[in-house]
């Protein structure tokens, strides 16, 4: 029945990849097996809205296998390890899957236990994360009862999923406390290991300016070393302290555990190194990685997985046909940054070009790096697009994997 493609992970990246492969090549060319350890597909961009009562948790969860093309085979099992020399995936229950092509799409996992004190006393009481569903729900209940004090939003370290989400949380917190009539009783602080509000100068200036306009303190070069829940302190590695009444922490991230048990597959953080333009593993040409699992200098965001998918599917076909791969992925990323008060701003960038002002996807389009109600509506519309277009592997007319240059204005920070 043709070659066997095994995709590890049935989240955003794995589901998109499986469906795109099936649409492009059909059953006669490949058979596709997708593996994940549980059956719940969570719409992760929605986690940001749960603490503020803007999204209902049960609306964010759907069945993993139901998002797949029916021609794909879905297996729910724990991944034990990958034997790269034997081209075999070992699953729990002594199940083995041999492959001609392996796609690693198991995302990034949260590692709160790696930060001293983070999961100790205070965890789930005055220390939370919104990066998983239980944490977002718990934070919602706390915010409903919050009457004032110091709120610190802290990014423990890099890399992390959706790098703009912690900033969005700070912006929405400002809006939320104003709506509740207690903003004057709340001190908001945003702490980051970066030397600015964002990684790129022009965007950092714009986003840092928004923090200042909203009265949110920015603390830079703060890499989290310890959390003292009972004492209400975040302590950096250089021993600076941030006091808090409520801490919202984005924990350390790493790749999937099985990557570390699979000799030669991952790096020291359990992400899978791949060529940044072809998505192919440097030592095992039959192995590719996509989405948050890939060790790339691109943002770990759903849009990246979508843009990678076009290149990945093309290159898998070329690899199996014995043809040279196309090095066409440029790191294209775009994100809607929710800023509160029914506004958002859109950023669009790649490996070489930082987020710039202008319009997307061309001279006539959504404004870039500028707050607008239109971008807020785009953010809200994205959920429908995610379930009904992106996950099924459909193309978005007029928006390809390559970052559009038209409509952008090159400026200096």
């Amino acid at each position: 029945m043709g070659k066997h493609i095994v995709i590890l992970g049935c989240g955003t990246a794995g589901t998109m990849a499986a469906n795109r492969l099936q649409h492009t090549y059909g059953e006669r060319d490949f058979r596709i097996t997708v593996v994940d350890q549980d059956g719940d597909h969570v719409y992760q961009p929605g986690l940001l809205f749960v603490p503020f009562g803007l999204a209902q948790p049960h609306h964010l969860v759907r069945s993993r296998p139901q998002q797949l093309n029916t021609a794909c085979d879905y297996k729910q099992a724990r991944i034990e390890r990958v034997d790269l020399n034997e081209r075999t995936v070992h699953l729990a229950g002594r199940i083995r899957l041999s492959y001609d092509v392996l796609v690693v799409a198991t995302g990034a996992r949260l590692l709160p236990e790696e930060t001293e004190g983070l999961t100790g006393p205070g965890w789930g009481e005055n220390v939370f994360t919104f990066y998983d569903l239980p944490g977002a729900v718990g934070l919602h209940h706390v915010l409903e009862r919050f009457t004032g004090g110091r709120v610190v939003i802290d990014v423990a370290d890099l890399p992390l999923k959706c790098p703009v989400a912690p900033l969005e949380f700070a912006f929405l917190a400002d809006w939320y406390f104003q709506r509740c009539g207690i903003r004057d009783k709340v001190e908001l602080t945003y702490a980051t290991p970066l030397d600015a509000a964002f990684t790129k100068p022009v965007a950092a200036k714009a986003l840092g300016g928004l923090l200042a306009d909203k009265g949110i303190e920015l603390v830079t070069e703060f890499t989290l070393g310890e959390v003292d829940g009972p004492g209400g302190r975040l302590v950096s590695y250089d021993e600076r302290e941030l006091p808090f009444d409520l801490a919202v922490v984005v924990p350390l991230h790493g790749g999937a555990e099985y990557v570390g048990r699979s000799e030669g597959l991952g790096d020291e953080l359990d992400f899978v190194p791949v060529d940044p333009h072809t998505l192919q593993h440097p030592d095992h040409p039959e192995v590719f990685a996509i989405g948050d699992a890939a060790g790339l200098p691109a943002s770990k965001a759903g849009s990246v997985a979508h843009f990678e998918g076009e290149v990945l599917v093309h290159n898998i076909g070329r690899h199996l046909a014995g043809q040279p791969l196309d090095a066409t992925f440029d790191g294209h990323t775009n994100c809607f940054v929710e800023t509160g008060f029914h506004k958002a701003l859109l950023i669009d960038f790649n490996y070489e070009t930082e987020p710039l002002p202008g319009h997307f996807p061309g001279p006539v389009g959504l404004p870039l790096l500028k707050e607008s109600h239109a971008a807020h509506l785009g953010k809200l519309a994205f959920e429908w697009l995610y379930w009904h277009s992106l996950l099924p592997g459909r193309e978005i007319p007029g928006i390809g994997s390559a970052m559009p240059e038209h409509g952008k204005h090159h400026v200096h920070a």
Side-chain angles (χ1 to χ4, degrees):
M1 193 180 172
K3 302 291 187 178
H4 188 201
I5 300 174
V6 174
I7 299 174
L8 302 181
C10 194
T12 302
T15 304
M16 287 181 187
N19 289 334
R20 275 182 128 149
L21 282 163
Q22 200 66 59
H23 287 321
T24 304
Y25 299 108
E27 295 177 64
R28 290 174 295 179
D29 294 304
F30 306 141
R31 60 188 179 98
I32 299 170
T33 301
V34 186
V35 181
D36 210 302
Q37 64 183 358
D38 64 60
D40 287 341
H41 186 116
V42 179
Y43 176 64
Q44 294 187 67
L47 295 175
L48 168 71
F49 296 111
V50 171
F52 305 105
L54 299 173
Q56 297 301 313
H58 62 278
H59 289 158
L60 306 181
V61 183
R62 299 190 183 184
S63 162
R64 289 195 196 277
Q66 287 184 12
Q67 310 314 312
L68 289 171
N69 186 297
T70 54
C72 297
D73 180 30
Y74 178 74
K75 291 190 180 301
Q76 185 171 317
R78 181 176 181 268
I79 304 165
E80 299 285 0
R81 64 184 176 89
V82 176
D83 188 325
L84 292 169
N85 294 323
E86 296 292 331
R87 298 191 184 184
T88 302
V89 179
H90 294 255
L91 306 178
R94 297 184 178 180
I95 300 170
R96 296 185 179 187
L97 295 175
S98 59
Y99 60 82
D100 297 288
V101 169
L102 178 72
V103 179
V104 179
T106 33
R109 63 189 173 108
L110 305 181
L111 302 170
E113 66 282 356
E114 294 295 319
T115 299
E116 183 180 349
L118 180 53
T119 57
W123 183 241
E125 296 174 4
N126 64 342
V127 181
F128 289 85
T129 186
F130 67 94
Y131 264 56
D132 60 26
L133 196 53
V137 171
L139 193 48
H140 171 60
H141 296 316
V142 166
L143 287 177
E144 284 187 314
R145 302 189 301 269
F146 196 76
T147 57
R150 295 183 298 271
V151 179
V152 178
I153 300 102
D154 177 75
V155 176
D157 208 345
L158 305 173
L160 70 153
K161 295 187 285 187
C162 193
V164 299
L167 278 166
E168 292 180 285
F169 188 95
F171 296 143
L172 284 174
D174 168 67
W175 163 81
Y176 178 81
F177 291 129
Q178 289 201 45
R179 192 186 68 171
C180 294
I182 61 169
R183 181 64 180 91
D184 60 334
K185 299 177 182 177
V186 179
E187 296 175 42
L188 281 174
T189 298
Y190 180 78
T192 172
L194 297 170
D195 61 2
F198 196 65
T199 52
K200 308 293 185 181
V202 175
K205 182 178 180 181
L207 293 168
L210 277 176
L211 289 172
D213 291 345
K214 295 173 184 294
I216 302 169
E217 179 189 16
L218 173 62
V219 177
T220 59
E221 298 181 314
F222 189 93
T223 303
L224 186 62
E226 180 188 352
V227 177
D228 175 7
R233 298 180 307 133
L234 300 182
V235 185
S236 68
Y237 277 107
D238 60 5
E239 299 184 345
R240 285 180 291 158
E241 295 187 3
L242 287 176
F244 66 82
D245 294 295
L246 175 62
V248 181
V249 178
V250 180
L252 291 167
H253 285 40
E257 282 187 89
Y258 76 87
V259 175
R261 298 190 295 265
S262 305
E263 186 178 353
L265 181 58
D267 60 19
E268 67 279 0
L269 297 176
D270 294 335
F271 295 113
V272 178
V274 290
D275 182 284
H277 302 292
T278 67
L279 309 176
Q280 184 182 48
H281 195 285
D283 302 319
H284 299 274
E286 71 283 353
V287 176
F288 295 81
I290 186 175
D292 295 352
L296 291 175
S299 295
K300 295 188 181 300
S303 65
V304 176
H306 170 71
F307 295 132
E308 286 172 333
E310 183 179 320
V311 177
L312 175 89
V313 168
H314 183 61
N315 276 341
I316 286 176
R318 293 185 71 85
H319 167 72
L320 289 175
Q323 299 171 342
L325 305 193
D326 282 345
T328 52
F329 181 63
D330 63 0
H332 188 194
T333 310
N334 61 23
C335 301
F336 288 103
V337 183
E338 190 71 11
T339 57
F341 302 95
H342 309 293
K343 291 184 179 180
L345 59 82
L346 178 63
I347 56 176
D348 187 72
F349 56 105
N350 65 9
Y351 291 140
E352 303 297 330
T353 303
E354 66 174 307
L356 295 171
H359 291 84
F360 176 87
V364 177
L366 287 173
L368 288 167
L369 214 57
K370 181 181 179 181
E371 284 187 290
S372 69
H373 182 61
H376 168 71
L377 294 177
K379 176 93 172 180
L380 297 182
F382 184 76
E383 183 172 358
W384 186 93
L385 194 70
Y386 179 87
W387 293 115
H388 299 283
S389 183
L390 299 185
L391 275 191
R394 299 189 177 99
E395 301 296 332
I396 302 176
I399 301 176
S401 65
M403 187 202 75
E405 289 282 358
H406 297 299
K408 289 185 168 63
H409 308 313
H410 288 265
V411 297
H412 298 289

